[in-house]
Amino acid sequence: MKSKKWTSVVVMTLVAALAMAVSLGMTPVPVNAQQRSIHRTGSPTQTGAERMSNQTVPQTANGTVETRGRDVRYRVVPIPILPGKTNTIVTDVKSVNNFGHVTGYSFVHTSNFNSVFLTGQGFIWRNGQLQALPLLNGWPGAFGFAMNDRDQVAGTANKLDGSGNIVQTAVLWDHGQPINLGTLQPNTYSFPLGINIWGVVVGGSQNPATCCNTPVVWYGGAIHALPYLPGMDHGFAESINDLGMIAGRQGPPDQSSQVPCLWYWNGSGYTPVSLGSLGGDYGDALGINDLGQIVGWSLYAGDIHGPAYLWDYRHGLQALPSLPGDTDGSGDNINELGQITGFSQLFDDNGNFISQRTVIWQNGTVTGLQTLVPVGTPALTDVANANDLGQIGADSGSVGDGTVAGYLLVPAH
């Protein structure tokens, strides 16, 4: 990491001219925002699969799975399971790099959910071969989450503390070797979700006593807290591009709002910028590409429903369509071609979650991923990024009941 310090800082200075500003407003936390907030980062410990993924079978109006008359666009390649494990998961961040290499983790499912954390082991899958990532000394479990084009992997190491609670610390696997990235304070957790080509990692450092995250970035061999917008005191960094721009969220002490934001490098440190809203008080910025385009979700006025969005500095937030019959959405990742992966969701008029489907947006059009894969493909319940070759990471099933399996969707033509 120390040898990379000069490269990360120099590259981040390239975005100093990208300052832009927009605004947002505030209220008590609605059910919809609470449920969306468990997405990725809502609990002290994380599996990388916090979405409501066991409720997402795509159905027609009569309740049958859509499989007929489809135009197959992807062949489905299963990601193997590490020896001695029972399941494999590909997480919903940038887990597929531009060479088609995939990171994730395998684990042993038991009736005790802690087994996911304590038996998990990260891997890199490339050229059809599965390579286990070594565990951090003293930490029995690990998860691989995000990977760059140098096959550096950001994830977590997991263990139990003296009281039997799961503890996690951020890890960078560089040339296959684990480096403990550490936390802001002793006896706290850290959790990374993004890594760029320079090995700069972003995520959160969390105090379990307060359950609030501080948004952080790791570079130069150290952890750095990211600055807050006025009135904010917690947040999370979700994704980073190769120019050092970071997408994430921030909130005030009373949690009366959640602001999607970006941080840009100003030459000596990071500056936060609010991305605004679509009228409501809650939103998140989840993915960013090297063009500075950002995707996420934002609620409308009333904080009941809200779509996925695409943001850029010229147009601000632009709502993305949901699938017919759905009310909401979430854009999770965006590649350099502008392909966006995420979810089309159904919430009732009280803001309660009903269901969601994995989707891809291309040229402003939304398509259910289940309709683009061969008949008989298990229901795709979670989706990672599309790389610049158009390959997409995906899962079926649920970590919670041990049915989860990982896949790479490869364009068929």
Side-chain angles (χ1 to χ4, degrees):
M1 287 285 287
K2 289 183 180 178
S3 64
K4 305 295 188 298
K5 181 175 181 179
W6 70 272
T7 53
S8 61
V9 172
V10 168
V11 170
M12 286 187 289
T13 62
L14 296 177
V15 297
L18 293 179
M20 13 66 217
V22 233
S23 56
L24 186 67
M26 300 190 173
T27 71
V29 183
V31 174
N32 193 346
Q34 289 176 327
Q35 290 171 323
R36 288 167 180 264
S37 292
I38 63 172
H39 161 84
R40 292 190 179 175
T41 54
S43 62
T45 54
Q46 301 294 325
T47 65
E50 271 60 47
R51 291 191 179 91
M52 300 146 282
S53 59
N54 59 341
Q55 306 180 60
T56 56
V57 178
Q59 296 182 335
T60 60
N62 64 6
T64 59
V65 176
E66 294 184 58
T67 57
R68 296 195 176 124
R70 63 180 54 177
D71 178 14
V72 174
R73 304 285 180 85
Y74 298 94
R75 58 188 179 90
V76 179
V77 180
I79 304 298
I81 301 170
L82 287 173
K85 312 298 183 181
T86 61
N87 297 86
T88 276
I89 183 169
V90 176
T91 55
D92 52 30
V93 291
K94 283 191 174 180
S95 51
V96 183
N97 73 14
N98 288 320
F99 296 100
H101 304 167
V102 180
T103 192
Y105 62 91
S106 296
F107 66 95
V108 177
H109 173 71
T110 72
S111 58
N112 184 347
F113 189 65
N114 281 354
S115 66
V116 177
F117 296 90
L118 301 178
T119 68
Q121 185 163 10
F123 62 74
I124 296 176
W125 180 80
R126 55 190 159 205
N127 305 321
Q129 301 297 314
L130 197 65
Q131 173 191 345
L133 294 171
L135 297 172
L136 194 65
N137 187 35
W139 299 73
F143 300 149
F145 291 132
M147 181 166 59
N148 64 17
D149 286 349
R150 296 162 59 199
D151 285 354
Q152 293 176 305
V153 174
T156 64
N158 316 316
K159 67 179 181 180
L160 293 177
D161 64 15
S163 301
N165 301 310
I166 293 291
V167 177
Q168 293 183 292
T169 188
V171 173
L172 171 67
W173 282 270
D174 190 8
H175 294 88
Q177 296 306 306
I179 301 167
N180 189 341
L181 296 179
T183 61
L184 282 175
Q185 300 170 324
N187 303 315
T188 58
Y189 307 152
S190 59
F191 185 82
L193 288 177
I195 182 171
N196 71 8
I197 193 65
W198 307 103
V200 181
V201 177
V202 297
S205 187
Q206 185 179 67
N207 186 336
T210 63
C211 289
C212 284
N213 283 302
T214 299
V216 295
V217 56
W218 290 269
Y219 62 85
I223 184 173
H224 308 268
L226 288 165
Y228 292 117
L229 295 161
M232 305 298 174
D233 76 341
H234 64 275
F236 209 93
E238 305 268 12
S239 183
I240 182 170
N241 69 13
D242 289 343
L243 297 178
M245 297 174 66
I246 298 170
R249 67 172 190 261
Q250 298 188 28
D254 62 3
Q255 301 187 37
S256 60
S257 65
Q258 181 175 290
V259 181
C261 68
L262 70 82
W263 289 267
Y264 70 90
W265 185 258
N266 61 27
S268 59
Y270 273 99
T271 296
V273 177
S274 169
L275 301 187
S277 80
L278 292 173
D281 297 320
Y282 297 86
D284 203 350
L286 300 173
I288 183 169
N289 66 13
D290 287 345
L291 301 176
Q293 295 174 305
I294 296 174
V295 294
W297 59 268
S298 181
L299 297 186
Y300 291 127
D303 293 323
I304 300 296
H305 297 295
Y309 69 75
L310 170 65
W311 179 95
D312 64 45
Y313 75 95
R314 291 187 182 89
H315 305 98
L317 295 181
Q318 306 161 74
L320 294 171
S322 298
L323 290 173
D326 287 344
T327 58
D328 295 65
S330 177
D332 288 30
N333 294 282
I334 181 169
N335 66 12
E336 308 313 315
L337 305 177
Q339 293 177 310
I340 301 165
T341 52
F343 295 89
S344 177
Q345 301 166 322
L346 178 62
F347 284 78
D348 68 20
D349 288 339
N350 293 315
N352 296 306
F353 171 78
I354 306 298
S355 63
Q356 65 183 11
R357 294 178 276 183
T358 57
V359 297
I360 183 169
W361 288 271
Q362 301 179 88
N363 301 316
T365 299
V366 62
T367 306
L369 281 176
Q370 199 70 35
T371 69
L372 302 178
V373 296
V375 173
T377 299
L380 301 175
T381 51
D382 210 351
V383 59
N385 65 301
N387 67 10
D388 292 346
L389 300 175
Q391 300 167 329
I392 302 171
D395 287 325
S396 67
S398 168
V399 172
D401 62 19
T403 61
V404 71
Y407 305 96
L408 182 66
L409 310 186
V410 179
H413 49 267

